[in-house]
Amino acid sequence: MHRALIWSLCVLGQLAAIMAAAAAGNVEQPLWLSAGGAEPPRIYLFWQGADPHHDSYAQTISTVRPDLYQYGATPHDSMRPAPEAERDGLWSYEEGEVEFEEPTGPIYFTTEAYRERVEQARAEASYITDELGGWAVAPYVCAVKISGNHERRYGFWAAYDHWEELQPFGYGPKPAADPWEWVVFRADYQAKSVWSFYKPSRDGSTVHSGCPNSPFSDYLAGFVRLTAENGARGIFVDNPSTNCICPYCQAAWQDYLRERFSPEQMRRYFGVEGYEDAVMYQEPFRIETVRFWSRSVGEHLARLREAGESVWGAGNFWVMPNGTAVQYEPIGTGGNVVEWARAGGFQLGSHENIRQHWGVQPRRLTNALRFNDTRDLIPGHKMMRGLASTQAWAAPLRACLWDTGFRNLHAAEAMAFDGLLCDGGWPHQVSIEERLPLYEFMRHFQELLRTGEQVAEVGVVCMTNELCADPADPVREFALVTDWLSEARVQWRALPDDAIAAAELSGLRAVFVPNQRMLDDPEVAALRSYAEGGGTLVLSGECGTRYLCGADRDEPAFADLLPEVTADQPWAVAACGQGRVAWCPRGFADVDVPAAYTGADTHAGQPARGLMRETNRATFLACLNEAVGAGLSSVLPPGPPAVRIASRWFPTDDGAMMTVHLANYDLRVDTVMQSYYIVPVTPSVIRPVQDLRVAAPVPEGWHAAGVTWIRYPDAELRREPLEFTPLSDGLAFTVPQVEYYAMAAVELAPGPADAAQGLADLRGPATSAQGTLPMLERDAQASDAWRPAADGEPADLSLPLHVVPGVPVIVSAEAGSTLELRLHGAEDAGEPIVWDPYTLGDEWAIAADQGAWLRFWIIAPSGVIEASGAVPAGRETRLTLEARETGLHVLMTEAGAGGLTVSSPSRCLMALAQPITFNQPGDRLYFRVPAGVEQVRLVPRTTGLAYDCRWQVFDADGNVVVDREDVNVHGKIDEIAVPPDQAGRVWSCLVTSEKRPVVSIDLMTPLPGFVATDPARLAVFEE
């Protein structure tokens, strides 16, 4: 019998043993194990680098029994194809070099030596599942890594030269091409890929990225199959991206074009006669190149999935690519999830973000004024569930330097919006006492927490393909529209471009198309037919002006449907067949700015996800109410400010079940930066909601026959009956309490309800105040009284403050005085500023002279917005207004251009953020070391690959206490002793570089997060 088949039978035997043990011990088996991919593993314990043999980790695994356990480098390291030289722990930013040494041991593994390593990996997986009782393992694998020295034939090249030693393990025939030909040839650098954040190893080995269209993909699929044979039920795939133009990609590119475009379309869209005239990464093929890279990565991931399924069966092996767009933001090359879905390349979407928080983080702007920074990942969960080409769920990965409240809300969001609880976060362990109640709750009610079809009244087109054309601007309109819908408790679902079909639109009361410029004819036809058939189509911004390939249409696809917009209001509604079309030509994000405004905001600078835009939100809701004609909110007034709602339904043995989920985001937590993490400084506080009134729709053709409810936390694991009122198109009920999470389980029976009232009879119009936390809150017990941190008169305007948009700037003014600010973008407006150097390189940079604008808001000491608007970036603009209040005014900004320079003749001018980010180095930055402090810690880093930045720190007397020239993207903590005579005084720091990278500086606790370019403009608040 073939060895792989024998191993497969052994693995299936292990699974059968686990199931039998669960039955014998009355342990409830997770649904996903027998669902064939129809149900996801709900609890994913992620401990990158953790040793499961350590007593505390082993105890946790055996007690909480996660669905999937990610256990780091094994088997990725133990089953690597050849010995690798140690890096000695030297990253690119660390001091020193490794002296070259010839290897003293074997440079390749014999068949027997490799078998021992495979058995080691097998034993590790068996230990976790058979001995500790974890349900399954999903180890780490890098999607691209090739490590070695191709000239001296070490590492991967030694394995290739002795390929026959690996063939007994199913790696297949030796590829004809040398692995050096498999290495990515980067389009932006015009060179072979080299991982720049590792220094060469002792034997001169470096790390490279393998091309997904090369034989490397088949090699890695063999590795994953071997991993599955060892017992793994999934893999966490790191670094799934590419921007390659190697010969393998060139051949695949030609096949891709022939599949996607006919010769006539090549002429029509691109103006070329033959496929061979299409040059990757050059106009007019840039957009299709980015889409092709995503398709290539998706097919690569699909090969890995199929390799695992060859062992476990279809739907029984899970692929979780790191970097999946579950946060709906500008993505790296090769990261379009629609293309991944079409290729079948994943089921679980993950995205590492150690600085993401849930709930309300009150950011201190001044001593007394706090900014409610609210966060959630609702759009990401909905986008994963909206993919039509595959079943996919979001599993956002977060570090766990948070308290119980944060983790409870993390879980509440996953349960409410049909995602995974990706728990843990290396190197920090989750305590058993903290997590066991939650895991028991999810296990006990797993039949109610099943996945299902979303019950929604509104659809929103997700612009995943739009990001191929413009990686920054499309985000803001989509983000604001979806935020406002969630705040108004409108149940909506995402419609990625692969889901815009008549069947997907049926039953929706409204469909939003937020600034979706790129649409092909089938999608346009489906949207037009939806409106003409009785639906409400809400278009904002430019819609349907281009095809998905980027080619311009002769005229906008919806031009004949658009109503006339007058000067009286920025939107209009008109009849369209049996339905209606609403249009806001400026876009809801921009209705409050000059007509010439061209956008180019990015997600990164959005203050509190749209809470600044009170006027814009009011316009949006007014348009929504008129267009739809009846209320859409599933929570009835008086609604609490931060509860979000979602429903899904699924068949049962005797009918169907709808579950209505409620997550309470009113979790308040004060935080600081420690190392690379956001951590709470005080315990988080949840504000429970009592007697929440709900009026929710039911699926068409069904009615509510009974309701029960559950809540978390609940030590008694109760499921209690709930009174309800049947409606002709839904039901109404009152949930007694929502602390973090509550759910109403609605038994459905076929046919309509015998009820005179409908949802419209209970609901009113959506309002601006509904479901919205206050943007700014003032602490009545705190004082904003301040004094200069240093003596002397403030310097003139030759010392402006250079910051990136999104960093609050504080300016002092007295009532009746003139408040003057000067704003402009990069000093050299013609020089591109790279918004994300990891994506496509300098050629895709946003330059300040290419139509980018700067949005601004000036907030008075009381929290009232005194002025707002937009100015073109790259041009100096003076803002002058008469201050109506005395005190510290806050300037908030956002823009897609590279940076912002602020100067003011006012007495106080400071930037506040953690980390504080600057669009160019060269300014001396002053900060105050509080009295009594004995040590300070600072972390400088760049956002680009610039390794020659010089970093200096000066004490209060101007003495140099830090001077190094290795500042780069990774950052390194400087711990500086503070003598008693230097505490309570103003210090300074300086970054110098010829490359003009964006620089960020963490002033770690106990340093206050304030800096100024003139010590006389730096304030000290009274304590």
Side-chain angles (χ1 to χ4, degrees):
M1 187 180 293
H2 192 271
R3 179 175 174 276
L5 178 58
I6 294 175
W7 280 23
S8 297
L9 293 175
C10 291
V11 169
L12 293 175
Q14 292 176 12
L15 177 60
I18 292 175
M19 293 179 176
N26 199 28
V27 177
E28 195 163 8
Q29 175 188 320
L31 289 175
W32 69 275
L33 280 173
S34 57
E39 288 288 332
R42 289 291 183 185
I43 302 172
Y44 183 87
L45 192 58
F46 187 95
W47 282 348
Q48 181 77 6
D51 180 6
H53 295 275
H54 189 281
D55 288 346
S56 63
Y57 288 93
Q59 184 183 8
T60 300
I61 296 169
S62 61
T63 303
V64 303
R65 303 194 66 186
D67 291 355
L68 287 180
Y69 173 60
Q70 200 274 5
Y71 57 110
T74 303
H76 189 71
D77 284 349
S78 63
M79 294 196 332
R80 63 192 178 207
E84 294 181 9
E86 295 295 330
R87 292 190 296 105
D88 290 335
L90 290 183
W91 297 78
S92 57
Y93 59 89
E94 294 181 291
E95 297 179 359
E97 299 291 337
V98 177
E99 294 185 5
F100 175 78
E101 293 181 4
E102 292 285 357
T104 57
I107 63 171
Y108 68 93
F109 294 131
T110 65
T111 298
E112 288 306 313
Y114 194 67
R115 178 169 286 114
E116 292 179 4
R117 302 183 71 83
V118 171
E119 291 298 336
Q120 175 189 344
R122 178 186 177 91
E124 192 82 349
S126 177
Y127 169 71
I128 295 168
T129 55
D130 297 352
E131 295 188 38
L132 298 183
W135 291 105
V137 294
Y140 174 100
V141 64
C142 180
V144 296
K145 184 179 180 182
I146 298 178
S147 178
N149 186 327
H150 76 282
E151 295 176 340
R152 295 179 177 270
R153 314 303 289 179
Y154 299 148
F156 198 93
W157 279 267
Y160 174 78
D161 291 343
H162 300 84
W163 194 266
E164 67 279 0
E165 303 287 347
L166 300 177
Q167 282 186 292
F169 303 94
Y171 281 108
K174 180 179 181 178
D178 186 89
W180 186 242
E181 302 303 316
W182 308 357
V183 173
V184 163
F185 190 89
R186 291 191 57 152
D188 48 0
Y189 293 166
Q190 292 293 303
K192 290 276 191 181
S193 162
V194 180
W195 289 23
S196 56
F197 47 85
Y198 289 149
K199 289 186 177 181
S201 303
R202 290 181 180 275
D203 63 1
S205 292
T206 51
V207 181
H208 309 272
S209 292
C211 171
N213 290 310
S214 76
F216 173 79
S217 185
D218 289 330
Y219 152 74
L220 196 62
F223 180 93
V224 170
R225 179 191 50 74
L226 193 57
T227 302
E229 290 174 346
N230 279 345
R233 290 294 305 269
I235 49 171
F236 176 84
V237 186
D238 206 6
N239 310 119
S241 63
T242 191
N243 62 345
C244 183
I245 55 173
C246 75
Y248 292 106
C249 284
Q250 296 291 353
W253 166 247
Q254 290 295 313
D255 294 339
Y256 167 84
L257 291 174
R258 284 173 168 80
E259 173 192 340
R260 182 159 165 73
F261 302 105
S262 67
E264 190 280 328
Q265 287 175 320
M266 292 291 288
R267 289 189 292 271
R268 176 185 175 189
Y269 294 149
F270 307 112
V272 298
E273 291 298 323
Y275 295 99
E276 63 279 359
D277 297 324
V279 181
M280 290 178 65
Y281 198 59
Q282 292 187 13
E283 295 294 356
F285 294 99
R286 283 195 182 255
I287 291 174
E288 282 305 316
T289 299
V290 177
R291 186 173 289 113
F292 162 73
W293 284 334
S294 292
R295 176 74 62 86
S296 299
V297 172
E299 291 173 347
H300 176 52
L301 295 171
R303 294 184 196 103
L304 306 187
R305 176 180 176 178
E306 291 162 3
E309 289 182 336
S310 71
V311 177
W312 291 99
N316 291 319
F317 190 82
W318 299 83
V319 174
M320 180 186 290
N322 190 19
T324 314
V326 299
Q327 293 177 245
Y328 201 78
E329 61 183 19
I331 54 177
T333 54
N336 187 329
V337 293
V338 168
E339 296 300 328
W340 289 5
R342 287 196 178 113
F346 78 114
Q347 309 103 308
L348 307 180
S350 179
H351 194 136
E352 288 180 282
N353 187 333
I354 58 179
R355 294 182 177 179
Q356 172 74 33
H357 69 270
W358 280 267
V360 185
Q361 180 178 332
R363 294 171 55 194
R364 190 186 73 164
L365 297 183
T366 66
N367 252 16
L369 192 62
R370 293 178 181 268
F371 187 98
N372 284 331
D373 188 0
T374 60
R375 297 293 176 91
D376 62 63
L377 289 180
I378 295 173
H381 282 282
K382 288 182 177 290
M383 185 162 64
M384 292 296 100
R385 299 303 297 129
L387 292 169
S389 300
T390 192
Q391 281 270 69
W393 295 265
L397 170 61
R398 297 295 176 264
C400 66
L401 286 180
W402 294 80
D403 63 4
T404 302
F406 170 84
R407 297 192 187 108
N408 282 343
L409 182 52
H410 178 187
E413 181 178 84
M415 291 187 287
F417 297 99
D418 203 2
L420 272 66
L421 173 61
C422 190
D423 211 352
W426 177 85
H428 309 283
Q429 182 181 353
V430 176
S431 69
I432 300 174
E433 295 78 10
E434 182 181 1
R435 304 316 275 149
L436 191 56
L438 173 62
Y439 288 12
E440 289 178 340
F441 178 87
M442 296 181 71
R443 289 274 188 265
H444 185 77
F445 292 116
Q446 63 174 344
E447 288 289 346
L448 296 181
L449 294 172
R450 299 179 72 104
T451 194
E453 183 178 343
Q454 297 176 77
V455 179
E457 297 179 86
V458 169
V460 184
V461 176
C462 271
M463 298 166 288
T464 50
N465 277 285
E466 193 79 14
L467 297 178
C468 297
D470 184 345
D473 186 53
V475 173
R476 62 198 173 88
E477 183 78 7
F478 171 86
L480 291 172
V481 167
T482 54
D483 281 346
W484 291 332
L485 287 172
S486 294
E487 288 169 3
R489 268 67 68 95
V490 174
Q491 297 200 61
W492 64 275
R493 63 186 179 94
L495 299 170
D497 76 330
D498 69 334
I500 307 179
E504 301 297 330
L505 304 179
S506 177
L508 295 174
R509 292 178 58 189
V511 172
F512 283 82
V513 186
N515 206 37
Q516 176 73 40
R517 291 161 289 193
M518 297 167 58
L519 289 170
D520 275 348
D521 290 340
E523 287 72 38
V524 170
L527 291 168
R528 292 176 64 104
S529 176
Y530 163 77
E532 292 166 353
T536 297
L537 188 63
V538 184
L539 309 172
S540 59
E542 299 179 51
C543 297
T545 58
R546 308 166 78 181
Y547 295 98
L548 281 180
C549 64
D552 291 330
R553 290 180 175 270
D554 293 335
E555 65 175 21
F558 303 101
D560 59 319
L561 304 182
L562 300 177
E564 182 179 353
V565 176
T566 66
D568 297 333
Q569 65 180 22
W571 52 272
V573 180
C576 177
Q578 299 177 45
R580 311 182 91 189
V581 172
W583 184 40
C584 179
R586 299 275 300 285
F588 295 110
D590 299 331
V591 295
D592 62 333
V593 294
Y597 177 64
T598 58
D601 293 357
T602 71
H603 72 294
Q606 284 196 355
R609 307 185 60 190
L611 290 182
M612 303 295 292
R613 294 178 161 94
E614 299 292 346
T615 301
N616 308 59
R617 176 168 44 204
T619 300
F620 165 80
L621 294 173
C623 178
L624 174 65
N625 289 328
E626 179 171 332
V628 177
L632 286 169
S633 177
S634 289
V635 174
L636 302 179
V643 170
R644 302 292 180 259
I645 186 170
S647 303
R648 55 185 183 263
W649 73 290
F650 47 85
T652 61
D653 292 339
D654 53 357
M657 175 78 72
M658 181 179 77
T659 51
V660 182
H661 304 259
L662 301 159
N664 181 16
Y665 287 85
D666 201 354
L667 179 75
R668 309 298 177 102
V669 56
D670 291 317
T671 65
V672 295
M673 289 296 302
Q674 286 186 5
S675 184
Y676 304 106
Y677 300 94
I678 297 177
V679 298
V681 293
T682 57
S684 62
V685 177
I686 188 72
R687 301 186 181 186
V689 173
Q690 310 294 330
D691 298 327
L692 183 72
R693 300 171 62 220
V694 175
V698 297
E700 186 176 359
W702 298 84
H703 69 273
V707 182
T708 56
W709 78 290
I710 62 176
R711 74 287 245 168
Y712 185 81
D714 179 18
E716 299 179 32
L717 300 176
R718 291 165 292 179
R719 180 180 177 184
E720 300 176 328
L722 196 66
E723 294 184 359
F724 72 99
T725 301
L727 303 173
S728 60
D729 50 357
L731 77 162
F733 54 86
T734 298
V735 177
Q737 183 186 55
V738 184
E739 186 171 351
Y740 291 94
Y741 169 80
M743 183 246 282
V746 182
E747 297 177 22
L748 298 176
D754 184 14
Q757 279 192 317
L759 290 169
D761 297 311
L762 300 183
R763 295 171 170 178
T767 65
S768 181
Q770 189 173 20
T772 302
L773 289 165
M775 177 186 67
L776 293 152
E777 290 185 317
R778 176 166 291 281
D779 183 355
Q781 306 302 316
S783 170
D784 273 343
W786 61 277
R787 61 178 175 79
D791 297 332
E793 292 299 318
D796 59 24
L797 296 179
S798 63
L799 288 176
L801 195 61
H802 300 280
V803 298
V804 298
V807 174
V809 175
I810 298 175
V811 187
S812 67
E814 295 182 356
S817 66
T818 299
L819 182 63
E820 180 180 303
L821 294 171
R822 299 183 184 182
L823 310 176
H824 61 80
E827 287 190 342
D828 182 358
E831 180 174 342
I833 302 296
V834 180
W835 74 273
D836 184 355
Y838 290 113
T839 303
L840 292 174
D842 292 355
E843 292 185 56
W844 273 61
I846 299 176
D849 63 344
Q850 294 179 351
W853 283 59
L854 173 78
R855 293 293 307 267
F856 68 88
W857 296 263
I858 298 176
I859 306 165
S862 64
V864 175
I865 297 177
E866 287 210 346
S868 67
V871 296
R875 311 174 195 172
E876 181 176 282
T877 300
R878 297 192 181 194
L879 302 176
T880 303
L881 69 154
E882 181 176 313
R884 289 177 288 183
E885 301 179 26
T886 296
L888 299 178
H889 294 64
V890 181
L891 170 68
M892 297 291 292
T893 58
E894 62 181 52
L900 162 72
T901 299
V902 182
S903 57
S904 173
S906 299
R907 176 67 176 171
C908 173
L909 180 64
M910 304 182 298
L912 167 64
Q914 284 290 33
I916 296 172
T917 309
F918 306 90
N919 72 307
Q920 67 179 52
D923 287 330
R924 190 88 164 246
L925 298 175
Y926 294 87
F927 59 95
R928 182 175 178 270
V929 176
V933 171
E934 297 180 353
Q935 185 190 64
V936 296
R937 297 187 299 165
L938 299 93
V939 184
R941 61 172 62 86
T942 67
T943 62
L945 302 177
Y947 296 109
D948 61 347
C949 292
R950 184 180 183 185
W951 163 246
Q952 295 172 287
V953 180
F954 307 89
D955 66 15
D957 295 323
N959 301 310
V960 178
V961 294
V962 175
D963 192 346
R964 55 187 178 91
E965 296 185 359
D966 58 352
V967 173
N968 59 36
V969 66
H970 298 290
K972 182 172 69 175
I973 298 176
D974 288 308
E975 296 181 341
I976 308 167
V978 180
D981 65 330
Q982 293 292 326
R985 301 175 64 188
V986 175
W987 290 35
S988 63
C989 58
L990 177 66
V991 178
T992 53
S993 172
E994 294 181 357
K995 293 190 176 181
R996 297 187 64 196
V998 176
V999 178
S1000 71
I1001 301 172
D1002 286 335
L1003 301 177
M1004 298 169 66
T1005 304
L1007 293 175
F1010 294 96
V1011 297
T1013 53
D1014 177 1
R1017 295 178 186 270
L1018 184 64
V1020 177
F1021 290 99
E1022 293 182 354
E1023 298 178 355

